[in-house]
Amino acid sequence: MSLTWYTKSTPSVVKTSQLIEFLLAGFLKDEPFHIPQAQAYCRGEFTTWDPKITTPPGLYLLSVLLKRIFLFKCNVSMLRLTPTLTLLALPLALTRLIAFHKRERPPASVLSPLPEAVVLSAFPIAWFFGFLYYTEVPSLLFVVCTVVAAEQQYHWLAALLGLVSCTFRQTNIVWVLYAYASSQLMYLRFRRSPPDQPTRPKLHDPPALAAGPGR
């Protein structure tokens, strides 16, 4: 599975976006708040803020960044492209996470997601929210990237990605703590001793059926 998959999936992504917009017309409760706020940011009005919004401005800042890079317009369709692009990037991040936990080498090409990663990205919560101007998918993408960086012991990068994830959802601080704790458990379980030094103790983590006092 390579870049060809992304090329072939583009028409289905567009059709899904149009279908969701048609089916949910009039039922989108958060977009009427998010979209005007993002459009205010696109106009450079960074001091304007709707008090009804309870999430940080990461989604709007990402849209402004894409607008500056690709010269997008800040209309509804282009703003919805922000979560859609992060949805397309999600399988790539999940590929690294899956490969790490399966103790396998990830694909040689960064643009070659594993089939399992594509399936996980197509779960309803991620898939459908990827076509609406919501924070769910960008937030999820940066959380996954935080966990991947932490488990590979790139802690400064993980801290930066975790900080970015919290600009989408402030509750992601819980996942940042999880990423750090998980990385430390992995380190204690699999750490190796330097040459010519005594073997370091490792975390004892037997299978559940084999665990017990004194075992």
Side-chain angles (χ1 to χ4, degrees):
M1 187 172 295
S2 61
L3 185 59
T4 306
W5 177 83
Y6 282 96
T7 304
K8 292 182 178 179
S9 66
T10 300
S12 63
V13 168
V14 174
K15 290 180 181 179
T16 303
S17 178
Q18 293 172 343
L19 177 61
I20 291 175
E21 183 176 357
F22 172 76
L23 293 176
L24 298 183
F27 294 94
L28 305 178
K29 302 302 182 183
D30 290 346
E31 278 195 336
F33 301 102
H34 288 310
I35 289 176
Q37 183 63 56
Q39 290 172 336
Y41 271 47
C42 287
R43 295 191 298 268
E45 300 172 7
F46 296 105
T47 58
T48 300
W49 187 257
D50 187 341
K52 298 184 180 67
I53 296 175
T54 59
T55 51
L59 179 63
Y60 321 130
L61 294 173
L62 181 58
S63 295
V64 171
L65 179 63
L66 294 176
K67 174 181 179 292
R68 299 284 175 84
I69 295 175
F70 300 107
L71 302 179
F72 288 158
K73 294 182 179 179
C74 284
N75 53 33
V76 175
S77 298
M78 289 297 101
L79 288 174
R80 285 176 176 167
L81 188 60
T82 303
T84 303
L85 291 175
T86 59
L87 177 63
L88 292 174
L90 186 59
L92 306 179
L94 287 173
T95 293
R96 303 291 159 175
L97 184 63
I98 293 170
F100 179 83
H101 281 283
K102 293 175 71 174
R103 297 293 182 269
E104 297 177 353
R105 289 186 178 274
S109 173
V110 177
L111 297 178
S112 298
L114 292 172
E116 300 99 310
V118 176
V119 171
L120 289 174
S121 300
F123 275 21
I125 293 179
W127 179 256
F128 291 108
F129 279 105
F131 302 100
L132 302 173
Y133 197 64
Y134 281 26
T135 60
E136 275 78 0
V137 179
S139 171
L140 175 60
L141 174 64
F142 281 98
V143 164
V144 172
C145 290
T146 300
V147 175
V148 170
E151 290 186 340
Q152 294 181 352
Q153 305 301 313
Y154 298 124
H155 293 298
W156 282 106
L157 177 59
L160 177 61
L161 292 170
L163 179 63
V164 173
S165 76
C166 290
T167 66
F168 294 95
R169 288 289 185 91
Q170 59 269 46
T171 51
N172 283 342
I173 187 64
V174 176
W175 289 108
V176 174
L177 295 175
Y178 164 81
Y180 175 74
S182 177
S183 69
Q184 294 308 297
L185 290 174
M186 287 292 182
Y187 169 73
L188 292 174
R189 185 179 179 185
F190 297 106
R191 64 178 176 176
R192 298 178 180 178
S193 302
D196 303 326
Q197 289 192 12
T199 302
R200 294 179 177 179
K202 295 183 179 181
L203 178 68
H204 182 58
D205 187 21
L209 294 177
R215 295 185 182 180

Short mmCIF file of all heavy atoms in Angstrom, two decimals, residues 5-7 9-10 12-14 81-94 110-111 113 117-118 121 126-127 130-131 137 141:
data_model
loop_
_atom_site.label_atom_id
_atom_site.label_comp_id
_atom_site.label_asym_id
_atom_site.label_seq_id
_atom_site.Cartn_x
_atom_site.Cartn_y
_atom_site.Cartn_z
N TRP A 5 -2.55 4.43 -3.12
CA TRP A 5 -3.78 4.31 -2.33
C TRP A 5 -4.39 5.68 -2.08
O TRP A 5 -5.60 5.86 -2.19
CB TRP A 5 -3.48 3.63 -0.99
CG TRP A 5 -4.68 3.56 -0.11
CD1 TRP A 5 -5.67 2.63 -0.15
CD2 TRP A 5 -5.05 4.47 0.93
NE1 TRP A 5 -6.62 2.89 0.80
CE2 TRP A 5 -6.26 4.01 1.48
CE3 TRP A 5 -4.46 5.62 1.45
CZ2 TRP A 5 -6.89 4.68 2.52
CZ3 TRP A 5 -5.08 6.28 2.48
CH2 TRP A 5 -6.29 5.81 3.01
N TYR A 6 -3.56 6.67 -1.77
CA TYR A 6 -4.08 8.01 -1.53
C TYR A 6 -4.68 8.60 -2.81
O TYR A 6 -5.71 9.27 -2.77
CB TYR A 6 -2.96 8.92 -1.01
CG TYR A 6 -2.65 8.69 0.44
CD1 TYR A 6 -1.61 7.85 0.82
CD2 TYR A 6 -3.40 9.30 1.43
CE1 TYR A 6 -1.34 7.62 2.16
CE2 TYR A 6 -3.12 9.09 2.77
CZ TYR A 6 -2.09 8.25 3.12
OH TYR A 6 -1.83 8.03 4.45
N THR A 7 -4.04 8.34 -3.93
CA THR A 7 -4.56 8.85 -5.20
C THR A 7 -5.91 8.25 -5.52
O THR A 7 -6.85 8.95 -5.92
CB THR A 7 -3.56 8.55 -6.33
OG1 THR A 7 -2.28 9.09 -5.98
CG2 THR A 7 -4.03 9.16 -7.63
N SER A 9 -8.03 6.94 -3.42
CA SER A 9 -9.04 7.20 -2.40
C SER A 9 -9.58 8.62 -2.46
O SER A 9 -10.60 8.91 -1.83
CB SER A 9 -8.44 6.96 -1.01
OG SER A 9 -7.42 7.90 -0.73
N THR A 10 -8.95 9.50 -3.22
CA THR A 10 -9.38 10.90 -3.25
C THR A 10 -10.83 11.07 -3.70
O THR A 10 -11.60 11.79 -3.06
CB THR A 10 -8.44 11.72 -4.15
OG1 THR A 10 -7.11 11.65 -3.63
CG2 THR A 10 -8.89 13.17 -4.20
N SER A 12 -13.37 9.03 -3.40
CA SER A 12 -14.27 8.57 -2.35
C SER A 12 -14.28 9.53 -1.18
O SER A 12 -15.31 9.73 -0.54
CB SER A 12 -13.86 7.17 -1.87
OG SER A 12 -12.56 7.20 -1.30
N VAL A 13 -13.15 10.16 -0.91
CA VAL A 13 -13.09 11.15 0.16
C VAL A 13 -13.97 12.34 -0.17
O VAL A 13 -14.74 12.83 0.67
CB VAL A 13 -11.63 11.60 0.40
CG1 VAL A 13 -11.59 12.83 1.30
CG2 VAL A 13 -10.82 10.47 1.02
N VAL A 14 -13.89 12.81 -1.41
CA VAL A 14 -14.71 13.95 -1.83
C VAL A 14 -16.19 13.60 -1.78
O VAL A 14 -17.01 14.38 -1.28
CB VAL A 14 -14.29 14.39 -3.25
CG1 VAL A 14 -15.24 15.48 -3.76
CG2 VAL A 14 -12.86 14.90 -3.26
N LEU A 81 -11.47 21.18 4.89
CA LEU A 81 -10.32 20.45 4.36
C LEU A 81 -9.23 20.27 5.43
O LEU A 81 -8.43 19.34 5.34
CB LEU A 81 -9.75 21.19 3.15
CG LEU A 81 -8.67 20.49 2.34
CD1 LEU A 81 -9.20 19.17 1.78
CD2 LEU A 81 -8.18 21.39 1.20
N THR A 82 -9.22 21.12 6.43
CA THR A 82 -8.21 21.01 7.49
C THR A 82 -8.30 19.67 8.22
O THR A 82 -7.31 18.93 8.29
CB THR A 82 -8.35 22.18 8.49
OG1 THR A 82 -8.23 23.41 7.79
CG2 THR A 82 -7.27 22.10 9.56
N PRO A 83 -9.47 19.29 8.77
CA PRO A 83 -9.56 17.95 9.38
C PRO A 83 -9.39 16.82 8.37
O PRO A 83 -8.87 15.75 8.71
CB PRO A 83 -10.97 17.93 9.99
CG PRO A 83 -11.35 19.36 10.13
CD PRO A 83 -10.71 20.05 8.98
N THR A 84 -9.81 17.04 7.12
CA THR A 84 -9.68 15.99 6.11
C THR A 84 -8.21 15.67 5.84
O THR A 84 -7.83 14.50 5.69
CB THR A 84 -10.38 16.40 4.81
OG1 THR A 84 -11.76 16.69 5.09
CG2 THR A 84 -10.32 15.28 3.79
N LEU A 85 -7.38 16.69 5.77
CA LEU A 85 -5.95 16.46 5.55
C LEU A 85 -5.33 15.71 6.72
O LEU A 85 -4.48 14.83 6.53
CB LEU A 85 -5.24 17.79 5.33
CG LEU A 85 -5.56 18.51 4.02
CD1 LEU A 85 -4.88 19.88 3.97
CD2 LEU A 85 -5.14 17.68 2.82
N THR A 86 -5.76 16.03 7.93
CA THR A 86 -5.23 15.29 9.09
C THR A 86 -5.75 13.86 9.10
O THR A 86 -5.06 12.95 9.56
CB THR A 86 -5.59 16.00 10.40
OG1 THR A 86 -7.02 16.12 10.51
CG2 THR A 86 -4.98 17.40 10.45
N LEU A 87 -6.96 13.66 8.58
CA LEU A 87 -7.49 12.29 8.47
C LEU A 87 -6.65 11.47 7.51
O LEU A 87 -6.37 10.29 7.75
CB LEU A 87 -8.94 12.33 8.00
CG LEU A 87 -9.62 10.98 7.75
CD1 LEU A 87 -9.71 10.18 9.04
CD2 LEU A 87 -11.01 11.18 7.15
N LEU A 88 -6.21 12.07 6.41
CA LEU A 88 -5.36 11.36 5.45
C LEU A 88 -3.98 11.07 6.04
O LEU A 88 -3.32 10.11 5.64
CB LEU A 88 -5.23 12.18 4.17
CG LEU A 88 -6.50 12.32 3.34
CD1 LEU A 88 -6.27 13.28 2.17
CD2 LEU A 88 -6.98 10.97 2.83
N ALA A 89 -3.53 11.91 6.96
CA ALA A 89 -2.22 11.69 7.59
C ALA A 89 -2.30 10.69 8.74
O ALA A 89 -1.27 10.14 9.15
CB ALA A 89 -1.66 13.02 8.10
N LEU A 90 -3.50 10.44 9.25
CA LEU A 90 -3.64 9.57 10.41
C LEU A 90 -3.12 8.15 10.17
O LEU A 90 -2.44 7.59 11.05
CB LEU A 90 -5.11 9.54 10.85
CG LEU A 90 -5.43 8.78 12.13
CD1 LEU A 90 -4.65 9.35 13.32
CD2 LEU A 90 -6.93 8.83 12.42
N PRO A 91 -3.38 7.51 9.02
CA PRO A 91 -2.82 6.16 8.82
C PRO A 91 -1.30 6.11 8.88
O PRO A 91 -0.73 5.10 9.30
CB PRO A 91 -3.34 5.78 7.42
CG PRO A 91 -4.53 6.62 7.20
CD PRO A 91 -4.25 7.90 7.90
N LEU A 92 -0.65 7.19 8.47
CA LEU A 92 0.81 7.21 8.50
C LEU A 92 1.32 7.20 9.94
O LEU A 92 2.30 6.51 10.27
CB LEU A 92 1.33 8.45 7.76
CG LEU A 92 0.82 8.63 6.33
CD1 LEU A 92 1.39 9.89 5.71
CD2 LEU A 92 1.19 7.41 5.48
N ALA A 93 0.66 7.97 10.81
CA ALA A 93 1.06 7.98 12.22
C ALA A 93 0.72 6.65 12.90
O ALA A 93 1.51 6.12 13.68
CB ALA A 93 0.37 9.14 12.94
N LEU A 94 -0.45 6.11 12.59
CA LEU A 94 -0.85 4.84 13.18
C LEU A 94 0.06 3.70 12.72
O LEU A 94 0.28 2.74 13.46
CB LEU A 94 -2.30 4.53 12.82
CG LEU A 94 -3.36 5.37 13.53
CD1 LEU A 94 -4.74 5.09 12.96
CD2 LEU A 94 -3.35 5.10 15.04
N VAL A 110 7.57 6.42 3.88
CA VAL A 110 6.72 7.09 4.87
C VAL A 110 5.28 7.13 4.39
O VAL A 110 4.34 7.14 5.18
CB VAL A 110 7.25 8.52 5.13
CG1 VAL A 110 6.35 9.26 6.10
CG2 VAL A 110 8.67 8.47 5.66
N LEU A 111 5.08 7.14 3.07
CA LEU A 111 3.74 7.24 2.49
C LEU A 111 3.13 5.87 2.20
O LEU A 111 2.27 5.74 1.33
CB LEU A 111 3.79 8.07 1.20
CG LEU A 111 4.23 9.52 1.37
CD1 LEU A 111 4.29 10.22 0.02
CD2 LEU A 111 3.28 10.26 2.30
N PRO A 113 1.15 3.33 4.29
CA PRO A 113 0.52 2.91 5.55
C PRO A 113 0.22 1.42 5.57
O PRO A 113 -0.02 0.80 4.53
CB PRO A 113 -0.78 3.73 5.57
CG PRO A 113 -1.09 3.96 4.13
CD PRO A 113 0.23 4.10 3.44
N ALA A 117 -3.61 0.18 9.80
CA ALA A 117 -3.69 1.61 10.08
C ALA A 117 -4.80 2.27 9.29
O ALA A 117 -5.52 3.15 9.80
CB ALA A 117 -2.35 2.28 9.77
N VAL A 118 -4.97 1.84 8.05
CA VAL A 118 -6.06 2.39 7.22
C VAL A 118 -7.41 2.00 7.80
O VAL A 118 -8.34 2.81 7.87
CB VAL A 118 -5.92 1.90 5.77
CG1 VAL A 118 -7.10 2.38 4.92
CG2 VAL A 118 -4.61 2.39 5.16
N SER A 121 -8.16 4.06 10.85
CA SER A 121 -8.49 5.43 10.48
C SER A 121 -9.90 5.54 9.91
O SER A 121 -10.47 6.63 9.88
CB SER A 121 -7.49 5.96 9.44
OG SER A 121 -6.19 5.94 9.97
N ALA A 126 -13.48 8.63 13.71
CA ALA A 126 -12.43 9.36 12.98
C ALA A 126 -12.89 9.70 11.57
O ALA A 126 -12.72 10.84 11.11
CB ALA A 126 -11.15 8.53 12.94
N TRP A 127 -13.48 8.74 10.88
CA TRP A 127 -13.80 8.93 9.46
C TRP A 127 -14.79 10.06 9.25
O TRP A 127 -14.56 10.99 8.48
CB TRP A 127 -14.33 7.62 8.88
CG TRP A 127 -14.71 7.70 7.43
CD1 TRP A 127 -15.96 7.77 6.91
CD2 TRP A 127 -13.81 7.74 6.31
NE1 TRP A 127 -15.91 7.83 5.54
CE2 TRP A 127 -14.60 7.82 5.14
CE3 TRP A 127 -12.42 7.71 6.18
CZ2 TRP A 127 -14.05 7.87 3.87
CZ3 TRP A 127 -11.87 7.76 4.92
CH2 TRP A 127 -12.67 7.84 3.78
N GLY A 130 -13.75 13.54 10.21
CA GLY A 130 -12.70 14.06 9.35
C GLY A 130 -13.20 14.94 8.23
O GLY A 130 -12.41 15.60 7.56
N PHE A 131 -14.51 14.99 8.04
CA PHE A 131 -15.09 15.80 6.97
C PHE A 131 -15.87 16.99 7.52
O PHE A 131 -16.55 17.69 6.77
CB PHE A 131 -16.00 14.94 6.10
CG PHE A 131 -15.29 13.77 5.49
CD1 PHE A 131 -15.40 12.50 6.05
CD2 PHE A 131 -14.47 13.93 4.39
CE1 PHE A 131 -14.73 11.42 5.51
CE2 PHE A 131 -13.79 12.86 3.84
CZ PHE A 131 -13.92 11.60 4.40
N VAL A 137 -10.30 14.95 14.85
CA VAL A 137 -9.27 14.25 14.08
C VAL A 137 -7.90 14.92 14.19
O VAL A 137 -6.89 14.23 14.41
CB VAL A 137 -9.70 14.10 12.61
CG1 VAL A 137 -8.61 13.40 11.80
CG2 VAL A 137 -11.00 13.31 12.51
N LEU A 141 -4.66 12.96 15.72
CA LEU A 141 -3.41 12.81 14.98
C LEU A 141 -2.21 13.22 15.83
O LEU A 141 -1.21 12.49 15.91
CB LEU A 141 -3.46 13.65 13.70
CG LEU A 141 -2.15 13.71 12.91
CD1 LEU A 141 -1.77 12.34 12.37
CD2 LEU A 141 -2.26 14.72 11.76
#
